Amino acid sequence: MITWKILGIEADGELITQARYLAAIKDGDFIVETEGNWFLREPKITVPFADVTEDMIVSWIDKTGIEARLAEQLAELKKQKVTVLPWLPQTFTPEI
């Protein structure tokens, strides 16, 4: 499941023109996050500015490409093998 958080907005009067977001996907210990700025070219404000909610703004963002890329990155992350950095202490792990 992908979670969305609105980090900030820009407005022209009562018309919201941009939204800064954080989107994250988690699967067990694996987490992929992205931050971005969405420009609302055709704002869909149908309620007074004071009544706008975070969920409304999230719904105005075209999430299709963003969510697909997060899922793709998560799948790649899960396939990776961990390589210990050479300058860190090396730990012996016996195979069972």
Side-chain angles (χ1 to χ4, degrees):
M1 181 174 133
I2 297 176
T3 57
W4 288 82
K5 178 153 186 64
I6 300 300
L7 304 174
I9 61 171
E10 289 193 21
D12 181 8
E14 293 209 352
L15 188 62
I16 297 171
T17 57
Q18 295 179 47
R20 194 165 54 95
Y21 64 83
L22 172 69
I25 187 171
K26 181 178 180 181
D27 185 0
D29 291 337
F30 298 100
I31 300 173
V32 177
E33 296 177 328
T34 188
E35 238 182 84
N37 196 43
W38 190 263
F39 294 86
L40 299 164
R41 304 251 184 257
E42 297 177 26
K44 303 171 185 173
I45 302 292
T46 56
V47 297
F49 184 82
D51 295 334
V52 172
T53 66
E54 183 176 32
D55 288 338
M56 286 178 186
I57 295 173
V58 168
S59 75
W60 298 335
I61 297 172
D62 181 3
K63 297 176 280 306
T64 307
I66 299 165
E67 290 182 347
R69 186 69 181 128
L70 283 172
E72 193 176 284
Q73 290 175 6
L74 180 64
E76 287 300 316
L77 181 63
K78 290 167 66 174
K79 284 193 248 178
Q80 289 181 357
K81 294 182 180 179
V82 176
T83 303
V84 178
L85 299 172
W87 55 87
L88 293 179
Q90 304 298 308
T91 305
F92 173 72
T93 306
E95 290 194 32
I96 298 175

